[in-house]
Amino acid sequence: MATSSPNQIPIMFLCLLSTIIFNSSSLVLCNSMLLHCDEKDESLLIKFKHAVTDPSGVLSSWSSHEKDCCRWRGVHCDNITRRVTELHLPCDTIQFDEILDKDNEKPHCLSGELDMFSLFDLEFLSYLDLSNNDFKTIKTCSNNNYSSNIHYLDLAYNYNLVNDHNNMLHQISHLCSSLQYLDLSGIDLYKEIDWLQSLTSLSSLLELHLDDCILQSINPSLQYANFTSLKVLSLSNNDFSSILPPWLFNLTRISYIDLSENNLHGQLPQSKPNLLSLETLCLYINNLDGPIPNWLGQLDQLKALNLACNNFVGPISTTLRNLSSLLVELHLRSNMFTGTVSEKNFHMLSKLKILSLGSESLIFDFDAKWIPSFQLQMLFLGYPGPKFPSWIYTQSSLELLYVENSRASFEPLGKFWKFTTQLEALVLINNSINSDISDVLLDSKVITMQQNNFSGSVPKVSPKVVHLDLSYNNLSDISPFLCQKMKKGKGNLETLFISDNALSGEIPNCLMDWTSLLQVNLGNNNLRGKIPHSIGSLFKLIFLSLEENKLSGEIPLSLKNCRNLRYLSLGENTFSGAIPSWIDQRIKIFQLGSNQFSGNIPIEICQFHSLKILDLSNNKLSGSIPNCLNNLTSLISPHASMDVFKVLSLTKYTKRGFTYLYFRVVTKYMVLHFVHSMLLIDLSSNNLSGTIPSELFMLVGLQSLNLSHNQFMGSIPQDIENLAALESLDLSSNLFSGQIPQSMSGMSFLEVLNLSCNNFEGKIPSGTQLQSFTNLSYVGNPKLCGPPLSRICPQDKKLPNGEQRTEADGDGDDDDNSEVHSWFLMGLGIGFATSFWGVLGVILFNRRFRDAYFRYLDEFHDIVIHKVKPIC
Ligand SMILES: *[C@@H]1O[C@H](CO)[C@@H](O)[C@H](O)[C@H]1NC(C)=O
Ligand SMILES: *[C@@H]1O[C@H](CO)[C@@H](O)[C@H](O)[C@H]1NC(C)=O
Ligand SMILES: *[C@@H]1O[C@H](CO)[C@@H](O)[C@H](O)[C@H]1NC(C)=O
Ligand SMILES: *[C@@H]1O[C@H](CO)[C@@H](O)[C@H](O)[C@H]1NC(C)=O
Ligand SMILES: *[C@@H]1O[C@H](CO)[C@@H](O)[C@H](O)[C@H]1NC(C)=O
Ligand SMILES: *[C@@H]1O[C@H](CO)[C@@H](O)[C@H](O)[C@H]1NC(C)=O
Ligand SMILES: *[C@@H]1O[C@H](CO)[C@@H](O)[C@H](O)[C@H]1NC(C)=O
Ligand SMILES: *[C@@H]1O[C@H](CO)[C@@H](O)[C@H](O)[C@H]1NC(C)=O
Ligand SMILES: *[C@@H]1O[C@H](CO)[C@@H](O)[C@H](O)[C@H]1NC(C)=O
Ligand SMILES: *[C@@H]1O[C@H](CO)[C@@H](O)[C@H](O)[C@H]1NC(C)=O
């Protein structure tokens, strides 16, 4: 009763959707009988309530106001015995304001220590769902003397749950021997080496979900795993990097296997395994290779097969032809298949709803007149060609069309655009459709059309469109789009991404009605003139990037109305006037570099408590650094480094060289995106002066600090060692003096150091860290000496060291500018690579960030790469 068989999962999305979707908890009440619930049960529930933190009052009904505990929220009782049998307390999905302001926290969910094993004292408890809460620790059970009656246990996506003794699985398998359903997805089980052994003792287990658990080994040499009853095994997104284990193919009762998003390699077994009941096989995003075995065609229960994004080779036509006629979902995209596919391969597959097809060397040879027996809901095509499969026009139920890297022409385009208006989601990526799309009317909820060489004006949209991404095309005019007349206001557009096009002219003052916009990116175009006053109408705006245009003038005060603005990127324009210090204090990313801003750095910046990136570089700022930077609380936490900025979008991301369209669901086709970035302050290339205020050295979360090319003076204090997370420090081309503090030699994360072109003096402190930089980190300081500089310090000159003397001959060349410049470029490269991998390392341990990270690789580049400028 407590278990859901795979048949109850909607077949449609068996392999496709990731596990982030949660069923929101439903308020379930017991029969309104006049009976009181069992007193012992009640006191155990109260005890549980007192032990947890419940900020939003989920358990507020658990009180003496309601005498019958069977009527408390989430509590189910047996109708007759009135004993508590089920607890349904999953937390709801992320709330919008949390997306804005909380980095990965779930402040409205249950939290604290989870004393789960004492809940098992509820003698009749058989169902426990605490998924998606924010429990931090699980209390280890000391009394191993009883066996609970629990059948269903779901603790998934309590991401922060730590089990100090690393024996959670052992305890669970020991105490919950009648478990039928277990979901611990999203919990860090890195140290649970024996997870498989522990769990195989659960002889009644029907479903096991351990997705996103950082599991390391899938026991590739084990022949047989004693999962006597297992039907569902879901182990996606772990760290398995071996071959597929033999025991997997010995699970005779299994109907659902998901090993997607691991690093599995090797081939599928060529002889037919005992997977008689297999309905779903998901192996996408691995490194599996070799041919597709014939036995896949003999799995006569098969409903979903996802082999996308691997290295499988060879022809697929024979296997396709023999696949089960029950097949609903088939993903073969992004492999190295060869040969041809044609209508002959599909005549059995009349139930197909989702199809993903295409490899670089696979030929599409469909008859232009073919009418398939299936009606698809989603179609993913990679490298379709040489002829465009015109049968797509017969698919009147299609909701999502994704076409990537097409070699075929979409002509006649009129027919194509007309067809797309029936779609909910249209994704066209890297298809050379050299076409003017000024007159197209877009009419799908989600539209992503990157890198298609579209030209003309930005096409008009219907009120239905929510997400519009036309980045990396050749569109030239945005006015007709922004000023278009719509019958019922400007509709529902939330995302407008038209970066990296050829947009020119001014941004028209037509933003008044686009009030639903949440994110706007018009970066890297040729836009001129001022930001229109009507920008202030976008009161929901979270993300605004206008960087790399030719925009000018002052930032309009109306931007103050955009109280949700968290990401503002205006870099590389010619904006002037004062720094807009009046924007909402909750800003996280404030990039105004490479403009003409002047005046002082306003003291109001210290009120930007959430600031993670402050880039005011390459402007005309003067005066000193305000001495209140310790107010930037987001930078003073030593663990602040994983900044995550969430953006709603739909795009592809790159992982291990494969591209894959990712669905982390917000709405049906929307994705939650994350931007990872270094925490940085860049004030370089201004006319700033004075000493560095000591408050700056309290920002212990800071990862990159660039104060170069200013007029700063004074010495570096010993306190600099507080900046223990610092990976890049550039103080070059200032008037700094004094000795380089010995404490810097302990800054172990430092990968890029540039102190050149100052007045530093004395000996460079010895210690592994500072000597590992080349002399170019220190050149242009005539009074500085000691390795790695060739200038010998006076106190060392008396030492009888012939080697040093001969090297010192080339002394005068320390300041060679071209050398400095090329070093800087190179140092940047290395620094970039190391911080890049540094972040990656962190991400591997912070599993839940990892996919997101890969998805946002491009944006990450944008943020991390510092501008290269000539030195001295
Ligand atoms: C208990 O009550 C619920 C709700 O009224 C009902 O659906 C269910 O069938 C009952 N179970 C038994 C065993 O009577
Ligand atoms: C375990 O249970 C048995 C019988 O129920 C009892 O005699 C024994 O004291 C219990 N042991 C512990 C450690 O609670
Ligand atoms: C497998 O589990 C069953 C039930 O727990 C047990 O009877 C059997 O001995 C086990 N087999 C092996 C090979 O461990
Ligand atoms: C299945 O397990 C048995 C041992 O129980 C073993 O002999 C056999 O090789 C296994 N089959 C596969 C395909 O690994
Ligand atoms: C395909 O199916 C047919 C009929 O079911 C069978 O005769 C043939 O051997 C199968 N081919 C392969 C390669 O499995
Ligand atoms: C774009 O598509 C072409 C084939 O049509 C392919 O050769 C090329 O590699 C693709 N470019 C990218 C960036 O994927
Ligand atoms: C893009 O389209 C233009 C015509 O609008 C064409 O001249 C150009 O070659 C195309 N570029 C690519 C890369 O296909
Ligand atoms: C962009 O479109 C213009 C015509 O509008 C064309 O001349 C130019 O070649 C296109 N640029 C690219 C990169 O395709
Ligand atoms: C620093 O933060 C405190 C508390 O938020 C605030 O009262 C104070 O005005 C801030 N100081 C500056 C200079 O912004
Ligand atoms: C730089 O600032 C100093 C005062 O600190 C001022 O005298 C000088 O004119 C400024 N230089 C420029 C180029 O603005």
Side-chain angles (χ1 to χ4, degrees):
M1 161 216 72
T3 53
S4 65
S5 91
N7 294 328
Q8 286 169 276
I9 304 166
I11 279 291
M12 269 298 304
F13 304 114
L14 274 181
C15 272
L16 190 66
L17 293 178
S18 295
T19 41
I20 286 285
I21 328 155
F22 303 101
N23 302 320
S24 58
S25 69
S26 50
L27 187 83
V28 196
L29 300 172
C30 286
N31 251 354
S32 54
M33 290 190 188
L34 291 168
L35 289 165
H36 190 280
C37 74
D38 183 81
E39 270 174 28
K40 188 173 159 226
D41 288 358
E42 182 179 333
S43 66
L44 285 165
L45 291 176
I46 291 293
K47 190 176 157 212
F48 173 77
K49 177 181 169 165
H50 287 307
V52 304
T53 312
D54 179 15
S56 61
V58 175
L59 305 180
S60 57
S61 64
W62 292 30
S63 80
S64 50
H65 293 298
E66 171 55 78
K67 293 265 186 293
D68 183 4
C69 74
C70 296
R71 301 177 65 155
W72 293 354
R73 181 169 177 177
V75 180
H76 291 212
C77 293
D78 184 274
N79 294 356
I80 295 154
T81 65
R82 308 301 290 164
R83 298 299 299 264
V84 174
T85 54
E86 304 191 4
L87 283 179
H88 297 249
L89 293 169
C91 190
D92 292 345
T93 41
I94 301 170
Q95 291 169 2
F96 182 70
D97 52 343
E98 292 175 22
I99 293 185
L100 275 182
D101 289 324
K102 299 281 188 250
D103 294 336
N104 306 299
E105 285 175 24
K106 299 191 242 175
H108 65 289
C109 300
L110 298 178
S111 176
E113 188 183 54
L114 174 59
D115 191 0
M116 179 177 73
F117 295 108
S118 70
L119 269 181
F120 295 164
D121 287 338
L122 293 162
E123 291 161 72
F124 293 90
L125 189 70
S126 72
Y127 185 107
L128 178 59
D129 180 358
L130 296 171
S131 60
N132 198 27
N133 280 292
D134 200 18
F135 287 108
K136 301 287 195 290
T137 49
I138 188 159
K139 196 168 172 183
T140 310
C141 168
S142 50
N143 176 12
N144 284 2
N145 205 10
Y146 61 92
S147 174
S148 94
N149 191 31
I150 197 103
H151 284 69
Y152 183 106
L153 179 58
D154 189 350
L155 302 179
Y157 299 102
N158 281 274
Y159 284 115
N160 297 311
L161 196 62
V162 183
N163 169 228
D164 289 337
H165 295 83
N166 301 312
N167 62 353
M168 176 158 63
L169 294 184
H170 177 77
Q171 290 213 346
I172 287 174
S173 60
H174 197 70
L175 297 179
C176 313
S177 54
S178 30
L179 262 189
Q180 296 178 0
Y181 180 102
L182 177 62
D183 192 344
L184 301 176
S185 296
I187 299 177
D188 181 349
L189 300 178
Y190 178 82
K191 291 183 180 159
E192 296 268 4
I193 312 285
D194 293 333
W195 65 273
L196 188 58
Q197 276 90 332
S198 298
L199 295 174
T200 46
S201 66
L202 295 169
S203 55
S204 311
L205 199 63
L206 297 173
E207 285 201 34
L208 176 61
H209 299 266
L210 299 175
D211 305 305
D212 308 278
C213 288
I214 327 186
L215 293 172
Q216 299 296 299
S217 169
I218 194 166
N219 292 42
S221 51
L222 193 69
Q223 291 295 315
Y224 181 75
N226 198 10
F227 280 126
T228 37
S229 325
L230 202 65
K231 287 205 161 81
V232 173
L233 178 64
S234 191
L235 299 171
S236 70
N237 211 345
N238 281 293
D239 279 354
F240 305 137
S241 55
S242 59
I243 56 164
L244 288 161
W247 62 263
L248 189 68
F249 300 98
N250 238 334
L251 297 172
T252 45
R253 287 162 197 248
I254 201 89
S255 74
Y256 181 102
I257 296 176
D258 186 354
L259 286 172
S260 58
E261 298 187 76
N262 279 289
N263 207 358
L264 296 162
H265 58 85
Q267 305 194 358
L268 289 169
Q270 292 307 301
S271 59
K272 191 182 177 195
N274 280 330
L275 303 171
L276 301 174
S277 316
L278 196 64
E279 294 180 5
T280 299
L281 180 61
C282 296
L283 297 172
Y284 61 91
I285 313 192
N286 277 292
N287 287 321
L288 298 168
D289 55 28
I292 299 297
N294 289 332
W295 56 260
L296 283 174
Q298 292 158 19
L299 299 172
D300 50 13
Q301 302 298 312
L302 200 64
K303 296 196 175 81
L305 177 64
N306 194 337
L307 304 178
C309 307
N310 278 288
N311 298 324
F312 290 115
V313 298
I316 49 174
S317 50
T318 321
T319 315
L320 272 178
R321 205 173 299 143
N322 269 21
L323 281 174
S324 152
S325 60
L326 301 176
L327 209 67
V328 174
E329 201 179 319
L330 176 64
H331 302 255
L332 299 172
R333 204 170 61 86
S334 263
N335 277 290
M336 282 140 83
F337 293 125
T338 48
T340 55
V341 280
S342 72
E343 63 279 3
K344 296 189 195 82
N345 306 125
F346 289 94
H347 76 272
M348 293 292 286
L349 303 180
S350 61
K351 295 208 165 67
L352 214 54
K353 294 285 175 209
I354 303 177
L355 175 62
S356 118
L357 197 63
S359 297
E360 193 159 4
S361 307
L362 190 69
I363 310 281
F364 281 53
D365 184 25
F366 292 99
D367 189 308
K369 297 205 181 76
W370 178 49
I371 300 175
S373 56
F374 50 73
Q375 280 290 334
L376 298 177
Q377 290 180 7
M378 298 188 193
L379 175 61
F380 302 77
L381 295 174
Y383 299 95
K387 275 186 299 176
F388 194 72
S390 53
W391 57 262
I392 71 163
Y393 298 120
T394 66
Q395 301 297 299
S396 55
S397 307
L398 204 64
E399 291 176 12
L400 178 144
L401 175 64
Y402 175 110
V403 187
E404 183 177 41
N405 305 340
S406 176
R407 294 164 298 191
S409 153
F410 288 63
E411 306 280 352
L413 276 163
K415 185 175 182 185
F416 178 75
W417 292 122
K418 186 159 181 289
F419 174 72
T420 64
T421 59
Q422 78 172 49
L423 302 170
E424 285 280 296
L426 171 63
V427 183
L428 299 175
I429 297 174
N430 183 34
N431 308 287
S432 273
I433 314 177
N434 305 328
S435 160
D436 184 321
I437 54 169
S438 311
D439 295 329
V440 172
L441 176 70
L442 297 170
D443 189 25
S444 303
K445 201 166 176 181
V446 174
I447 296 168
T448 294
M449 303 199 299
Q450 301 179 348
Q451 306 168 53
N452 295 296
N453 197 22
F454 290 131
S455 57
S457 310
V458 178
K460 294 180 183 162
V461 295
S462 80
K464 193 172 152 193
V465 181
V466 172
H467 176 95
L468 180 62
D469 180 353
L470 293 164
S471 310
Y472 300 98
N473 284 292
N474 190 12
L475 298 168
S476 54
D477 192 359
I478 195 173
S479 296
F481 167 81
L482 284 179
C483 301
Q484 69 185 293
K485 294 262 182 298
M486 267 191 214
K487 278 187 189 131
K488 301 171 200 152
K490 290 289 162 75
N492 301 301
L493 199 67
E494 292 179 358
T495 304
L496 180 63
F497 287 167
I498 318 184
S499 72
D500 302 273
N501 274 273
L503 298 178
S504 60
E506 300 197 5
I507 304 174
N509 194 21
C510 290
L511 298 169
M512 289 73 74
D513 300 325
W514 297 98
T515 51
S516 50
L517 279 173
L518 300 177
Q519 33 180 5
V520 172
N521 186 352
L522 302 177
N524 206 1
N525 281 291
N526 282 313
L527 295 166
R528 292 172 183 279
K530 295 183 172 183
I531 299 179
H533 179 75
S534 56
I535 191 93
S537 316
L538 310 183
F539 68 99
K540 290 183 180 171
L541 203 62
I542 301 169
F543 177 109
L544 176 63
S545 172
L546 299 172
E547 64 187 14
E548 293 187 66
N549 277 288
K550 298 194 171 77
L551 295 163
S552 57
E554 297 193 12
I555 309 304
L557 205 57
S558 60
L559 194 63
K560 203 176 156 90
N561 294 342
C562 305
R563 305 233 27 231
N564 283 333
L565 200 62
R566 300 292 181 271
Y567 184 123
L568 179 64
S569 183
L570 302 176
E572 296 193 55
N573 282 286
T574 52
F575 290 116
S576 55
I579 299 289
S581 55
W582 35 258
I583 62 164
D584 193 274
Q585 292 171 8
R586 289 166 294 177
I587 192 92
K588 291 183 176 184
I589 296 179
F590 194 57
Q591 285 183 297
L592 304 182
S594 299
N595 278 291
Q596 307 282 327
F597 288 107
S598 56
N600 292 347
I601 298 179
I603 196 163
E604 288 85 353
I605 279 198
C606 296
Q607 289 160 10
F608 295 177
H609 300 290
S610 308
L611 204 61
K612 309 264 181 170
I613 292 181
L614 174 63
D615 177 5
L616 303 177
S617 66
N618 204 14
N619 278 292
K620 294 180 166 167
L621 301 173
S622 53
S624 54
I625 302 178
N627 58 3
C628 51
L629 288 179
N630 53 329
N631 251 20
L632 301 179
T633 41
S634 59
L635 294 176
I636 57 176
S637 159
H639 305 297
S641 57
M642 290 307 297
D643 178 35
V644 176
F645 184 83
K646 299 168 183 127
V647 186
L648 305 176
S649 180
L650 174 90
T651 189
K652 64 171 188 171
Y653 75 106
T654 307
K655 183 176 177 182
R656 300 189 199 115
F658 304 112
T659 55
Y660 187 73
L661 181 78
Y662 217 74
F663 288 73
R664 285 261 148 127
V665 173
V666 175
T667 66
K668 191 166 165 194
Y669 297 115
M670 284 287 190
V671 184
L672 205 49
H673 264 182
F674 301 80
V675 180
H676 290 272
S677 67
M678 301 243 274
L679 305 190
L680 68 91
I681 290 181
D682 187 351
L683 304 176
S684 64
S685 301
N686 280 289
N687 187 22
L688 297 166
S689 55
T691 55
I692 311 181
S694 58
E695 288 81 3
L696 187 64
F697 300 106
M698 298 179 185
L699 304 180
V700 298
L702 201 61
Q703 291 168 307
S704 174
L705 176 63
N706 190 346
L707 302 178
S708 67
H709 295 270
N710 280 293
Q711 314 281 333
F712 290 118
M713 56 176 101
S715 55
I716 310 180
Q718 292 283 350
D719 282 359
I720 193 156
E721 68 179 332
N722 294 346
L723 304 183
L726 212 58
E727 293 172 24
S728 173
L729 175 65
D730 190 348
L731 301 178
S732 64
S733 299
N734 277 290
L735 305 169
F736 288 114
S737 57
Q739 300 214 345
I740 298 173
Q742 179 70 40
S743 63
M744 278 186 72
S745 56
M747 296 170 67
S748 52
F749 285 113
L750 209 55
E751 297 285 352
V752 177
L753 175 68
N754 195 348
L755 302 178
S756 63
C757 308
N758 278 293
N759 291 322
F760 287 116
E761 60 182 54
K763 188 174 178 178
I764 296 170
S766 39
T768 48
Q769 197 61 31
L770 292 181
Q771 256 77 46
S772 67
F773 299 102
T774 70
N775 61 334
L776 297 153
S777 291
Y778 305 102
V779 296
N781 291 286
K783 288 188 250 170
L784 205 57
C785 62
L789 288 177
S790 47
R791 191 181 299 113
I792 301 164
C793 294
Q795 66 267 37
D796 295 338
K797 276 205 170 123
K798 291 172 196 127
L799 293 172
N801 192 333
E803 268 178 47
Q804 280 193 355
R805 285 200 178 277
T806 46
E807 260 185 38
D809 289 346
D811 202 17
D813 293 336
D814 271 359
D815 293 347
D816 181 72
N817 266 2
S818 62
E819 200 189 345
V820 174
H821 193 205
S822 65
W823 166 78
F824 191 53
L825 276 171
M826 192 189 72
L828 193 79
I830 295 164
F832 174 67
T834 47
S835 52
F836 180 90
W837 289 111
V839 171
L840 193 63
V842 177
I843 288 159
L844 291 177
F845 290 98
N846 274 289
R847 192 49 182 259
R848 66 194 142 125
F849 296 134
R850 202 177 75 171
D851 304 318
Y853 172 74
F854 280 106
R855 244 170 298 149
Y856 244 64
L857 221 49
D858 293 345
E859 282 76 357
F860 182 78
H861 278 257
D862 291 347
I863 291 166
V864 170
I865 296 176
H866 305 244
K867 308 289 176 321
V868 181
K869 295 173 202 105
I871 284 224
C872 292

